[in-house]
């Protein structure tokens, strides 16, 4: 499984996320996409930067040739945009429909946070900095990068917001800024003792939208590292690191169980076949007695942890149950290999299982059954014939 782990101990912002993630893809291709996506006056550029001894990429979004930090661009701080205007701009971007939808979903989070922070409906809010073209560019850029990287699971760990105050269009705000604090609902974080705004509203909204687990990932094999370098000077290097790697979670399984007393054997068999075809590791039924002395069926599906939600959806679709129990378990398996060879009775297959100091082989039932049928002998005799022909 492809894992993306974002180490956010120095928080996150739109440009830091873009900078780090851009190192995990073909950076030139990404810049080309962003520079031709139809955001008028916007230009993405990448450079290598060092901060506190750590080197990495720094992606900058220029508006009419100026960076956000330059005084020439300060006039735009007095502008503000409604959600409707921002949605129209996103709709006009020459990016995939998937990226446009993701960009809008991140903006929806930002708008809901603003609405909570200012206690006014989403329809009445005006976005200042977060509604600017460079903010739209940052968010769309991040959505493009996530589409290019296509991780199966995103982990965000060690999230710190920073402390103190920050100066913005609203005036002087406490850190985390009110919009960030609203976004943080449900996200584990700490302020830390760095004086400054480490986590911005844009960074928080992007993390909230893309993160599957706010945790450090399980042991992973690192494939590539992306380092995003910011321009602020803190007690610690202003960097965000993104790790792309693989984890082998084939041993993490769940057992999903449901009891029913109102389904026919045909319906239960049909459901079992559907789950097996969808990738369940095993499905089995157990006869049980349920309340009111009704004979019923305990239906159990074993599947990989990562398939749990998909299997639950199928169980609710094909079973009459209103509830499913989930038991996490660990599965140990032997390594299996299949051999085949020609015998006087036709092709025969043998499965060998090895591991944990044991090795054993077993002739495939289907081959033995065919030989037994053709020669009108027992399964036991068919096995002896094949074993004798092997010597
Ligand atoms: O743009 C808006 S509306 C805005 C709201 C708030 C609130 O907390 S409310 C805060 N800010 C500050 O603006 C800058 C830029 O944010 P980005 O996410 O675009 O980097 C940052 O300091 C925010 O705290 C803006
Ligand atoms: Ni605000």
């Amino acid at each position: 499984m492809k894992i993306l782990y974002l180490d956010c101990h120095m928080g996150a912002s739109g440009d830091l996320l873009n900078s780090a993630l851009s190192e995990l893809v073909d950076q030139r291709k990404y810049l080309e996409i962003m520079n031709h996506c139809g955001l008028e006056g916007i230009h993405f550029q990448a450079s290598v930067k060092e901060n506190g001894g750590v080197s990495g990429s720094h992606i900058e979004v220029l508006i009419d040739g100026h960076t956000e930090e330059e005084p020439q661009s300060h006039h735009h701080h007095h502008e503000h945009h409604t959600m409707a205007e921002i949605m129209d701009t996103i709709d006009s971007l020459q990016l995939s429909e998937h990226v446009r939808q993701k960009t809008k979903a991140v903006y929806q989070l930002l708008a809901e946070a603003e609405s909570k922070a200012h206690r006014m409906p989403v329809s009445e809010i005006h976005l200042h900095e977060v509604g600017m073209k460079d903010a739209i560019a940052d968010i769309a850029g991040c959505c493009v990068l996530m589409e290019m990287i296509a991780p199966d699971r995103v982990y965000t760990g060690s999230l710190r917001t920073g402390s103190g105050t920050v100066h913005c269009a609203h005036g002087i705000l406490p850190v985390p800024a009110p919009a960030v604090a609203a976004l943080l609902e449900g996200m584990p974080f700490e302020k830390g003792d760095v004086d400054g705004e480490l986590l911005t509203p844009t960074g928080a909204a992007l993390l909230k939208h893309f993160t599957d687990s706010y945790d450090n990932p399980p042991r992973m094999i690192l494939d590539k590292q992306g380092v995003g370098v910011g321009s602020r000077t803190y007690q610690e290097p202003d960097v965000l690191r993104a790790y792309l790697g693989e984890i082998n979670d084939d041993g993490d399984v769940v057992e999903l169980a449901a009891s029913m007393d109102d389904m026919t054997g045909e319906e239960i068999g049909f459901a079992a076949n559907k789950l097996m075809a969808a990738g369940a590791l095993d499905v089995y039924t157990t006869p049980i007695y349920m309340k009111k002395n009704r004979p019923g069926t305990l239906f159990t599906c074993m599947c990989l942890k990562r398939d749990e939600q998909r299997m639950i959806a199928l169980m609710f679709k094909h079973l009459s149950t209103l509830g499913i129990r989930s038991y996490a378990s660990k599965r140990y398996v032997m390594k299996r290999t299949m051999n085949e060879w020609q015998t006087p009775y036709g092709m025969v297959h043998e499965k060998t299982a090895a591991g944990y100091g044991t090795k054993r082989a077993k002739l495939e039932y289907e081959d033995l059954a065919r030989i037994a049928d053709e020669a009108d002998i027992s399964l036991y005799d068919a096995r002896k014939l094949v074993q004798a022909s092997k010597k």
Side-chain angles (χ1 to χ4, degrees), residues 114 118 127-130 166 168 170 173 177-179 197 200-202:
E114 266 299 299
H118 298 288
L127 301 171
H128 301 274
E129 292 94 334
V130 299
V166 65
C168 64
H170 284 311
L173 295 177
E197 184 183 46
T200 66
T202 303

Side-chain angles (χ1 to χ4, degrees), residues 46 74 76 83-84 113 117 144 183 201 203 215 245 279 315 323 380:
H74 274 179
H76 69 239
M83 268 295 274
V144 166
L183 282 158
D215 215 343
M315 284 174 73
Y380 176 83

Side-chain angles (χ1 to χ4, degrees), residues 310-329:
R310 213 162 47 83
M311 293 296 153
I312 286 175
L314 282 174
M315 284 174 73
F316 277 129
K317 180 173 176 179
H318 294 290
L319 302 176
S320 61
T321 189
L322 302 179
I324 294 169
R325 300 176 293 282
S326 169
Y327 307 97
S329 57

Side-chain angles (χ1 to χ4, degrees), residues 169-280:
H170 284 311
I172 295 175
L173 295 177
V175 172
V180 175
L183 282 158
L184 280 170
E185 278 175 20
M187 292 166 67
F189 72 96
E190 54 181 310
K191 283 185 81 168
D193 48 18
V194 174
D195 185 17
E197 184 183 46
L198 301 182
L199 183 64
T200 66
T202 303
L206 283 164
L207 291 179
K208 194 171 189 114
H209 180 74
F210 285 109
T211 302
D212 297 300
S213 277
Y214 294 102
D215 215 343
N216 293 329
R219 266 156 58 123
M220 64 190 267
I221 299 184
L222 186 64
D223 185 28
K224 217 170 177 187
Q225 160 187 206
V227 184
V229 175
S231 42
R232 306 264 158 94
T233 306
Y234 299 121
Q235 306 89 298
E236 297 172 47
D238 183 21
V239 295
L240 189 152
R241 290 192 286 179
Y243 301 91
L244 190 63
E246 288 284 334
I247 58 167
N248 183 352
D249 62 349
D250 289 354
D252 295 333
V253 298
V254 284
E255 284 190 328
L256 303 171
S259 315
M260 283 88 43
D261 61 8
D262 58 353
M263 286 186 72
T264 67
E266 285 175 338
E267 288 166 338
I268 289 174
F270 186 82
N273 290 346
K274 285 284 177 199
L275 285 151
M276 285 304 287

Side-chain angles (χ1 to χ4, degrees), residues 85 120 174 178 182 186 199 207 242 278 333 348 350 361 375:
E85 288 168 337
M120 52 167 71
L199 183 64
L207 291 179
V333 290
V348 167
E350 186 179 57

